[in-house]
Amino acid sequence: QIQVMESGGGSVQAGGSLKLSCRASGYTISDIRITWFRQAPGKEREGVAAVRTSSGVTYYDDSVKGRFTISRGNDNATAYLQMDSLKPDDTAMYYCATDSRSYFDGRWREAGLYKRWGQGTQVTVTP
Protein backbone atom coordinates (compact mmCIF):
# COMPACT_ATOMS: atom_id res chain seq x y z
CA GLN A 1 0.00 0.00 0.00
CA ILE A 2 2.81 2.42 0.86
CA GLN A 3 4.72 3.55 -2.21
CA VAL A 4 7.62 5.98 -2.61
CA MET A 5 8.23 7.81 -5.87
CA GLU A 6 11.09 10.17 -6.73
CA SER A 7 11.97 12.17 -9.81
CA GLY A 8 14.07 15.06 -11.04
CA GLY A 9 17.45 13.50 -11.82
CA GLY A 10 19.47 14.27 -14.90
CA SER A 11 22.86 15.23 -16.28
CA VAL A 12 24.30 18.69 -15.62
CA GLN A 13 27.68 20.36 -15.82
CA ALA A 14 29.66 21.25 -12.71
CA GLY A 15 28.20 24.27 -10.96
CA GLY A 16 24.70 23.56 -12.20
CA SER A 17 21.52 22.80 -10.29
CA LEU A 18 18.87 20.12 -10.06
CA LYS A 19 15.74 19.73 -7.95
CA LEU A 20 14.58 16.28 -6.85
CA SER A 21 11.05 15.45 -5.70
CA CYS A 22 9.80 12.62 -3.51
CA ARG A 23 6.31 11.65 -2.45
CA ALA A 24 5.24 8.86 -0.10
CA SER A 25 1.70 7.60 -0.61
CA GLY A 26 -0.39 5.24 1.50
CA TYR A 27 0.55 6.42 5.00
CA THR A 28 -2.28 6.85 7.50
CA ILE A 29 -0.22 9.26 9.63
CA SER A 30 0.73 12.81 8.73
CA ASP A 31 4.24 13.00 10.25
CA ILE A 32 7.00 10.97 8.65
CA ARG A 33 10.70 11.37 7.99
CA ILE A 34 11.64 11.58 4.33
CA THR A 35 15.33 11.03 3.64
CA TRP A 36 17.51 11.29 0.55
CA PHE A 37 20.33 8.78 0.15
CA ARG A 38 22.85 8.43 -2.66
CA GLN A 39 25.08 5.63 -3.86
CA ALA A 40 27.95 5.94 -6.31
CA PRO A 41 29.52 2.93 -8.07
CA GLY A 42 31.76 0.99 -5.70
CA LYS A 43 30.66 2.99 -2.65
CA GLU A 44 28.21 2.40 0.18
CA ARG A 45 24.84 4.10 0.33
CA GLU A 46 25.10 7.33 2.32
CA GLY A 47 22.57 9.72 3.80
CA VAL A 48 22.35 13.15 2.17
CA ALA A 49 19.52 15.00 3.92
CA ALA A 50 16.26 14.36 5.76
CA VAL A 51 13.15 16.25 6.82
CA ARG A 52 10.21 15.54 9.08
CA THR A 53 7.08 16.42 7.14
CA SER A 54 5.10 17.76 10.11
CA SER A 55 7.63 19.88 12.00
CA GLY A 56 9.96 20.70 9.11
CA VAL A 57 13.07 19.79 11.12
CA THR A 58 15.94 19.07 8.73
CA TYR A 59 19.20 17.10 8.81
CA TYR A 60 22.19 17.33 6.45
CA ASP A 61 25.38 15.50 5.75
CA ASP A 62 28.40 17.80 6.04
CA SER A 63 29.36 17.13 2.43
CA VAL A 64 26.26 18.93 1.11
CA LYS A 65 25.52 21.51 3.82
CA GLY A 66 25.36 24.97 2.28
CA ARG A 67 24.80 23.62 -1.24
CA PHE A 68 21.71 21.42 -0.90
CA THR A 69 18.40 22.40 0.67
CA ILE A 70 15.72 19.92 1.70
CA SER A 71 12.17 21.13 2.20
CA ARG A 72 8.74 19.70 2.88
CA GLY A 73 5.57 19.98 0.89
CA ASN A 74 2.24 21.04 2.34
CA ASP A 75 0.68 17.57 2.07
CA ASN A 76 2.92 16.11 4.84
CA ALA A 77 4.08 13.38 2.48
CA THR A 78 6.35 15.25 0.06
CA ALA A 79 9.95 16.42 0.18
CA TYR A 80 12.18 18.28 -2.25
CA LEU A 81 15.95 18.41 -2.56
CA GLN A 82 17.29 21.55 -4.22
CA MET A 83 20.87 20.86 -5.29
CA ASP A 84 23.03 23.86 -6.19
CA SER A 85 26.73 24.21 -6.99
CA LEU A 86 26.86 20.57 -8.04
CA LYS A 87 30.23 18.83 -8.18
CA PRO A 88 31.35 15.71 -10.05
CA ASP A 89 31.60 13.98 -6.65
CA ASP A 90 27.83 14.40 -6.31
CA THR A 91 27.33 11.94 -9.17
CA ALA A 92 25.31 9.00 -7.85
CA MET A 93 21.98 7.25 -7.88
CA TYR A 94 19.77 9.19 -5.49
CA TYR A 95 17.14 7.28 -3.50
CA CYS A 96 14.23 8.49 -1.40
CA ALA A 97 13.26 6.55 1.73
CA THR A 98 10.67 7.06 4.47
CA ASP A 99 10.27 6.21 8.15
CA SER A 100 7.69 7.20 10.78
CA ARG A 101 9.72 6.68 13.97
CA SER A 102 10.72 10.04 15.42
CA TYR A 103 12.82 8.41 18.15
CA PHE A 104 15.20 7.25 15.42
CA ASP A 105 15.67 10.74 13.95
CA GLY A 106 19.19 10.88 15.37
CA ARG A 107 20.04 7.79 13.32
CA TRP A 108 18.61 9.13 10.07
CA ARG A 109 21.78 8.21 8.13
CA GLU A 110 21.39 4.48 8.77
CA ALA A 111 19.94 2.96 5.62
CA GLY A 112 19.03 -0.26 7.44
CA LEU A 113 16.34 1.55 9.45
CA TYR A 114 14.24 2.31 6.38
CA LYS A 115 11.61 -0.06 5.04
CA ARG A 116 10.19 1.95 2.15
CA TRP A 117 12.36 3.00 -0.79
CA GLY A 118 11.88 4.55 -4.18
CA GLN A 119 13.46 3.15 -7.32
CA GLY A 120 16.10 5.87 -7.52
CA THR A 121 16.88 8.71 -9.90
CA GLN A 122 20.30 9.18 -11.50
CA VAL A 123 22.24 12.41 -11.00
CA THR A 124 25.31 12.88 -13.20
CA VAL A 125 27.57 15.92 -12.91
CA THR A 126 30.11 16.35 -15.70
CA PRO A 127 33.40 18.24 -15.24
Side-chain angles (χ1 to χ4, degrees):
Q1 183 179 1
I2 297 176
Q3 295 183 337
V4 180
M5 296 174 287
E6 67 261 76
S7 62
S11 180
V12 298
Q13 64 186 53
S17 298
L18 286 172
K19 186 175 183 178
L20 308 183
S21 300
C22 175
R23 187 177 189 276
S25 62
Y27 277 98
T28 58
I29 58 175
S30 61
D31 184 22
I32 58 174
R33 180 181 353 102
I34 301 181
T35 304
W36 286 100
F37 290 85
R38 66 185 181 186
Q39 187 168 24
K43 299 181 65 177
E44 294 184 352
R45 191 166 298 187
E46 62 179 2
V48 177
V51 63
R52 290 215 67 90
T53 58
S54 181
S55 68
V57 174
T58 59
Y59 308 85
Y60 292 95
D61 184 76
D62 288 341
S63 66
V64 304
K65 190 175 297 184
R67 298 188 298 120
F68 293 7
T69 303
I70 190 169
S71 60
R72 57 175 175 168
N74 57 18
D75 62 355
N76 291 319
T78 304
Y80 307 96
L81 186 67
Q82 177 66 48
M83 304 184 293
D84 298 319
S85 301
L86 283 163
K87 306 174 181 179
D89 286 346
D90 295 318
T91 296
M93 183 72 74
Y94 282 69
Y95 298 91
C96 181
T98 64
D99 182 59
S100 64
R101 297 167 294 180
S102 62
Y103 47 88
F104 282 152
D105 280 353
R107 299 168 61 181
W108 67 272
R109 295 181 178 88
E110 298 180 21
L113 295 177
Y114 294 83
K115 301 176 181 178
R116 307 295 181 181
W117 294 81
Q119 293 182 339
T121 183
Q122 178 68 38
V123 172
T124 301
V125 184
T126 59

